[in-house]
Amino acid sequence: MTALPQDAVTDLKTRIAELEQRLQAREAENARLQDQTREALEWQAATAEILASISASITDPAPVFDTILDNLLRLFGTRFAAVFLLRDGMLHAAGLKGEPGFEGLARHYPIALDERLLLGKTILSGRALQIAPIMGNPEATPGTQEIAREFGYDAIIAVPMLREGGAIGVLATAHRDPIAFTQKQMELATSFADQAVIAIENARLFDEVQAKTRDLEESLQQQTATADVLKVISSSPGELEPVFRSMLENAVSICDAKFGNLFLVDGETARWRAGMGTPPKLVEFFTQTEWFRPTAGSHLDRVIRTKQVSHTSDDTAEAVVGAAARLGGARSTVCVPMVKDDALAGAIFIYRTEVRPFTDKQIDLLKNFAAQAVIAIENARLLTELRQRTDDLSESLQQQTATADVLKVISRSAFDLQAVLETLIKSAVELSGANRGSIFLREEDVFPLKAASSTTPEFLQYWAANPPRAGRGSATSRVIASGKVEIIPDVLDDPKMQIPAGSL
């Protein structure tokens, strides 16, 4: 076997070495990409876990804090992680997790907000900050270095928890070694801080609602009623009857009223639109005419003039005793305006048949329903407009398509008039939703049938034997005589029409 020349061997070894280097580089790149993918999946899983915790802990942010801190420790490999909240100029430890012994860190809190400390700088600047290393670092105060030495960490990151442009707290975590946190880690920690704010905001909003409703069971009923109405609005887009019924049903029930009415208003006139428990005589009175002008001085008249709530203890003692008192036995009454863009859209009434004025909270509930009624009316209007636009676009598209079809026939049938006429009448019948159609063309004094669509043999035979002339006996004759469009709503009801058998 002949040995390879030395130069060839050297060249082969060089190429093998290059291939090995490329392979190693590719393996390294694959490993890097795998690490990035694994890291991204881990971060996504952590985010999903935190979001699930937020949805499950609307009333208390503490479980969310725990989930965030657990994920920080796991993903960053840090010694401890903590949530600090700012209250009355003091930083309080709201959550703390880490290796055994770190519980003692809580004894240093609360502390006053101090711009010399990392947490204070983070709060005041609204930016994520870090110190690495801590020991011997002039940016770390002696107190900061002392705590870091006590608990054995030498790098720390602090991320502000921002709400409406201001910091309400800070999220922090620390390494044992002086290892700087990466930009990606800072971004992930910032995302966790944002989620902590969501949990806090959820709890704050819930606490506000609870504070308002704690003393009165009716407040919870009001929330439930509002939710019911919103569900009806969302499930019945464009339909006002179910929304109005739901509003009145809830208003009458929760406010302990006897019955209720809803009116729509247009200028100085009103229309009874819905009722709940309304006495039949009162319904009959309100529906004598579709639109009516309210009695001067009545509740509805006052609301139309002022766009303000009208509330009386006893309708029968008013200067103007309204129909609800006369025909329905109403005593204590409240009427709330439905206002949109400073224009009155309607009014909601509820009535009691005893003298027992409605409370401010009950009136507020009615105002809320009035606002929702306006939303429902606006939704219905917008949906109607959208449907009309959709119908117009659909009709326009059909017309354009039909026109294109006719033009195609014309272009393909330059010398075939019959094909064009047949296409025209077929398209006209389809677009107008008619049952049949025909085209007559003038030949001297008569107008013989030239094309038809969806007709019967009798129809064709009749017009072949009786081509129309100018006159009033048929729609075709009328058009011939007048040279104008003729519309006949009902040919069978037109005394001037002569309708021989087969002509239709």
Side-chain angles (χ1 to χ4, degrees), residues 70-214:
D70 285 339
N71 278 286
L72 272 178
L73 294 171
R74 177 174 59 83
L75 295 174
F76 290 8
T78 43
R79 295 210 68 193
F80 82 91
V83 174
F84 302 96
L85 297 182
L86 180 64
R87 292 196 298 269
D88 301 323
M90 304 289 289
L91 277 174
H92 298 257
L96 179 63
K97 286 204 169 190
E99 298 174 0
F102 267 94
E103 298 84 357
L105 186 63
R107 72 173 180 268
H108 294 278
Y109 294 88
I111 60 172
L113 187 63
D114 188 342
E115 66 178 0
R116 296 172 299 174
L117 303 177
L118 180 66
L119 300 185
K121 287 182 182 178
T122 301
I123 290 280
L124 295 171
S125 69
R127 296 184 296 111
L129 301 173
Q130 66 171 315
I131 300 178
I134 296 173
M135 302 305 171
N137 192 328
E139 293 185 5
T141 64
T144 298
Q145 295 189 44
E146 181 181 345
I147 295 176
R149 188 177 297 108
E150 178 183 352
F151 292 98
Y153 61 90
D154 202 12
I156 186 170
I157 183 176
V159 179
M161 296 160 54
L162 301 173
R163 183 180 69 196
E164 298 179 355
I168 61 171
V170 77
L171 180 65
T173 190
H175 280 305
R176 178 189 297 274
D177 300 317
I179 303 172
F181 292 86
T182 67
Q183 181 62 33
K184 285 188 176 180
Q185 288 176 324
M186 294 181 74
E187 291 172 358
L188 181 62
T190 300
S191 174
F192 286 174
D194 292 341
Q195 291 161 354
V197 171
I198 293 173
I200 294 170
E201 186 67 5
N202 285 347
R204 183 185 68 81
L205 293 174
F206 183 84
D207 287 343
E208 285 183 1
V209 173
Q210 287 298 97
K212 294 177 182 177
T213 60
R214 189 176 297 113

Side-chain angles (χ1 to χ4, degrees), residues 171-379:
L171 180 65
T173 190
H175 280 305
R176 178 189 297 274
D177 300 317
I179 303 172
F181 292 86
T182 67
Q183 181 62 33
K184 285 188 176 180
Q185 288 176 324
M186 294 181 74
E187 291 172 358
L188 181 62
T190 300
S191 174
F192 286 174
D194 292 341
Q195 291 161 354
V197 171
I198 293 173
I200 294 170
E201 186 67 5
N202 285 347
R204 183 185 68 81
L205 293 174
F206 183 84
D207 287 343
E208 285 183 1
V209 173
Q210 287 298 97
K212 294 177 182 177
T213 60
R214 189 176 297 113
D215 298 330
L216 294 173
E217 181 180 358
E218 70 178 27
S219 297
L220 181 58
Q221 291 176 325
Q222 290 177 7
Q223 292 178 32
T224 304
T226 299
D228 289 343
V229 173
L230 290 175
K231 287 180 182 177
V232 174
I233 291 175
S234 64
S235 63
S236 306
E239 298 181 36
L240 295 177
E241 292 291 344
V243 176
F244 292 163
R245 284 198 304 268
S246 177
M247 286 177 181
L248 289 175
E249 182 179 0
N250 279 288
V252 168
S253 174
I254 294 172
C255 297
D256 195 23
K258 185 66 173 179
F259 60 96
N261 290 311
L262 187 147
F263 296 87
L264 295 183
V265 173
D266 185 6
E268 296 182 352
T269 60
R271 172 191 176 194
W272 184 82
R273 193 67 169 76
M276 177 55 60
T278 308
K281 289 184 179 179
L282 190 56
V283 174
E284 183 180 353
F285 174 82
F286 286 140
T287 55
Q288 292 179 80
T289 58
E290 184 176 7
W291 291 91
F292 64 92
R293 187 181 294 272
T295 303
S298 65
H299 280 288
L300 190 52
D301 176 62
R302 292 199 294 265
V303 169
I304 289 176
R305 285 187 289 105
T306 67
K307 301 175 189 172
Q308 301 295 320
V309 173
S310 179
H311 181 206
T312 57
S313 299
D314 188 356
D315 258 9
T316 62
E318 291 290 297
V320 176
V321 179
R326 297 194 315 271
L327 303 175
R331 301 294 293 273
S332 292
T333 302
V334 62
C335 175
V336 172
M338 294 155 46
V339 180
K340 180 185 181 297
D341 297 334
D342 201 38
L344 187 66
I348 300 177
F349 281 82
I350 55 174
Y351 314 82
R352 286 178 175 145
T353 53
E354 74 275 9
V355 177
R356 183 161 53 96
F358 294 91
T359 67
D360 289 343
K361 283 189 175 292
Q362 290 168 338
I363 294 175
D364 285 342
L365 172 66
L366 212 57
K367 288 179 179 178
N368 188 27
F369 283 161
Q372 292 171 350
V374 169
I375 292 172
I377 292 171
E378 183 66 7
N379 286 348

Side-chain angles (χ1 to χ4, degrees), residues 13-50:
K13 288 181 178 180
T14 300
R15 292 178 62 187
I16 291 173
E18 289 176 352
L19 290 173
E20 288 178 345
Q21 288 177 355
R22 291 180 183 177
L23 181 60
Q24 290 173 358
R26 181 167 296 180
E27 289 175 349
E29 178 65 11
N30 288 340
R32 186 184 66 81
L33 292 175
Q34 288 176 356
D35 289 342
Q36 286 185 347
T37 301
R38 183 176 62 256
E39 181 183 72
L41 291 174
E42 288 177 346
W43 290 10
Q44 290 177 16
T47 300
E49 184 181 357
I50 294 169

Side-chain angles (χ1 to χ4, degrees), residues 380-398:
R381 183 187 69 80
L382 293 174
L383 186 60
T384 299
E385 288 183 358
L386 179 61
R387 287 172 176 167
Q388 183 60 50
R389 290 176 185 173
T390 302
D391 291 343
D392 291 345
L393 288 173
S394 177
E395 182 177 350
S396 176
L397 180 61
Q398 289 177 332

Side-chain angles (χ1 to χ4, degrees), residues 419-483:
V420 174
L421 295 177
E422 289 176 357
T423 301
L424 279 171
I425 194 60
K426 179 181 178 182
S427 297
V429 168
E430 291 177 352
L431 288 174
S432 61
N435 295 110
R436 65 183 59 172
S438 53
I439 295 177
F440 298 85
L441 294 182
R442 181 173 184 172
E443 293 182 359
E444 296 183 353
D445 294 332
V446 297
F447 289 77
L449 178 67
K450 292 297 183 179
S453 177
S454 303
T455 55
T456 62
E458 293 80 7
F459 179 90
L460 299 175
Q461 291 171 6
Y462 175 83
W463 288 114
N466 302 279
R469 301 172 183 272
R472 303 298 295 176
S474 69
T476 305
S477 299
R478 290 188 187 185
V479 171
I480 294 171
S482 67

